[in-house]
Amino acid sequence: MTDLLHDHPSRLRPVRELFNLDVDMQVPVFEHRDEHVPDIDPSYCFNPDVTLAILAGFTRNRRVLLQGLHGTGKSTHIEQVAARLNWPCVRVNLDGHISRLDLVGKDTIVLEEGKQITRFQEGIVPWALRRPVALIFDEFDAGRPDVMFVIQRILEQDGKFTLLDQNQVITPNPNFRLFATANTVGLGNVTGLYHGTQQINQAQMDRWNIVAKLDYLPREDEIQIVQGKVPRYNDARGHELISRMVAVAELTRAGFAAGDLSTLMSPRTLIAWAENTEIFNDAALAFRLSFLNKCDEAERPLVAEYYQRCFDEELIEPQALQLTAI
């Protein structure tokens, strides 16, 4: 990997040109693409408000937390903004096994000139702080409470980071940026969907300068995204098929909001359904394999009814097919 220590944004580009947003704003852009820069997805559909929130994080060094239901593309949204700015980006998933040593660093034994010596190996936080990197904490509300306090100081703008083991105080690189994504807004598993999430200390939540919410996209935008991911359906017939799929997804979301379902279809599952339809050439079979089998058995008749409403055909279960054949 190349060392980013001395890299920095070298020019300004209009937001209108990069993101097609009607705002008078310019953003800093790196001249060269590093291997840490995410790949550009040309079919990605940006949410205007969330895009502006993320751009504020990059241009004004604001700490930005994105909250939303699963599958809305929170982390991808940050990555796709970074990709168009050529901004190096590193994602860290804060699962329950991430410890303080993983974030801060630890002593390791290395072989040097045939001898074993102990050397301090920096964790991801001090490594990123020294460089012009956008550090993204995924699943921020799933991190262990004792570990989360490690980043308390760097949540403050220009907050320094102390390496106690090395007696060092790290001043962040002027182009270091910090983002996070979360399914909840720090209040824990309120809906019952996200087991393993924690309540976030409100003093820590208060340190996030911007909290943006990313909801599911309007129907036409969602259709456009699915067609972009599965080019086979990028025609009039494909538009009709994907439109029916999105209609089913919207019904599951309305059913979840009304308390009729315990799960819902995310855009990620919707794309998987379209991809599986391309594989099996059968929307009904792909629907069962992509979503229906994930649902509670008592709720499957209602989900099958949603499918029937949108596709105007019964969703025949495999057992029924077998009895018909006999």
Side-chain angles (χ1 to χ4, degrees):
M1 293 185 180
T2 57
D3 199 332
L4 301 167
L5 283 171
H6 305 295
D7 205 359
H8 59 86
S10 57
R11 58 198 174 110
L12 295 174
R13 294 277 300 277
V15 169
R16 279 192 180 89
E17 179 183 320
L18 290 175
F19 301 97
N20 197 27
L21 296 178
D22 189 20
V23 293
D24 293 324
M25 181 179 180
Q26 291 190 320
V27 289
V29 177
F30 284 78
E31 186 69 32
H32 305 291
R33 293 183 66 84
D34 180 81
E35 58 258 44
H36 299 87
V37 177
D39 295 329
I40 292 178
D41 180 358
S43 66
Y44 191 79
C45 185
F46 290 93
N47 178 293
D49 291 343
V50 173
T51 301
L52 288 176
I54 296 170
L55 288 174
F58 280 110
T59 58
R60 299 297 183 93
N61 194 18
R62 311 303 284 169
R63 303 300 189 236
V64 181
L65 173 67
L66 286 193
Q67 182 267 333
L69 294 173
H70 58 285
T72 51
K74 299 180 290 297
S75 303
T76 306
H77 208 304
I78 301 171
E79 283 188 325
Q80 286 306 306
V81 172
R84 284 154 177 81
L85 304 180
N86 288 338
W87 207 296
C89 189
V90 176
R91 286 173 60 176
V92 178
N93 195 305
L94 288 179
D95 57 60
H97 294 285
I98 291 291
S99 67
R100 182 184 182 279
L101 295 179
D102 295 318
L103 295 181
V104 176
K106 55 189 174 182
D107 288 329
T108 59
I109 298 175
V110 297
L111 197 63
E112 190 173 291
E113 297 181 356
K115 298 180 180 179
Q116 289 185 344
I117 62 172
T118 301
R119 178 174 297 167
F120 181 77
Q121 181 179 348
E122 283 188 344
I124 189 63
V125 170
W127 180 90
L129 277 169
R130 299 182 194 275
R131 293 164 174 81
V133 167
L135 179 60
I136 305 173
F137 286 123
D138 274 338
E139 315 300 341
F140 186 74
D141 49 357
R144 286 164 39 193
D146 58 318
V147 175
M148 302 307 296
F149 285 104
V150 170
I151 66 170
Q152 188 93 337
R153 183 70 176 91
I154 64 171
L155 280 173
E156 300 174 9
Q157 192 171 358
D158 300 324
K160 301 180 189 300
F161 186 76
T162 303
L163 278 177
L164 296 176
D165 297 338
Q166 301 296 303
N167 295 327
Q168 288 185 33
V169 177
I170 301 175
T171 300
N173 186 290
N175 297 301
F176 168 77
R177 299 294 183 265
L178 185 62
F179 299 89
T181 68
N183 293 127
T184 71
V185 72
L187 301 177
N189 187 30
V190 177
T191 63
L193 277 178
Y194 304 114
H195 301 291
T197 55
Q198 314 281 346
Q199 288 188 342
I200 299 176
N201 184 290
Q202 285 303 300
Q204 189 168 93
M205 281 296 298
D206 191 56
R207 282 170 162 80
W208 290 100
N209 307 126
I210 297 174
V211 178
K213 184 176 181 181
L214 186 59
D215 288 319
Y216 295 129
L217 294 169
R219 176 178 292 195
E220 281 303 319
D221 291 341
E222 205 160 7
I223 292 171
Q224 180 184 343
I225 288 176
V226 178
Q227 285 184 307
K229 292 294 185 181
V230 191
R232 174 182 171 182
Y233 300 123
N234 198 12
D235 55 21
R237 292 184 62 185
H239 185 279
E240 175 64 24
L241 174 65
I242 301 302
S243 178
R244 292 173 185 266
M245 291 180 171
V246 173
V248 175
E250 289 176 339
L251 286 175
T252 66
R253 296 164 193 171
F256 173 79
D260 298 329
L261 291 181
S262 59
T263 186
L264 52 80
M265 184 180 291
S266 70
R268 184 186 297 119
T269 302
L270 189 60
I271 293 170
W273 182 11
E275 291 171 339
N276 291 337
T277 300
E278 182 182 28
I279 294 171
F280 301 112
N281 200 29
D282 186 335
L285 173 61
F287 179 69
R288 287 198 298 270
L289 298 176
S290 305
F291 180 71
L292 185 65
N293 291 342
K294 298 177 182 178
C295 299
D296 187 283
E297 194 165 346
E299 298 173 353
R300 291 180 189 178
L302 179 58
V303 177
E305 182 184 332
Y306 291 159
Y307 181 91
Q308 192 276 332
R309 287 187 206 172
C310 300
F311 281 83
D312 198 25
E313 64 181 37
E314 296 291 339
L315 188 65
I316 303 175
E317 290 293 330
Q319 295 86 350
L321 287 172
Q322 186 177 2
L323 290 173
T324 302
I326 294 173

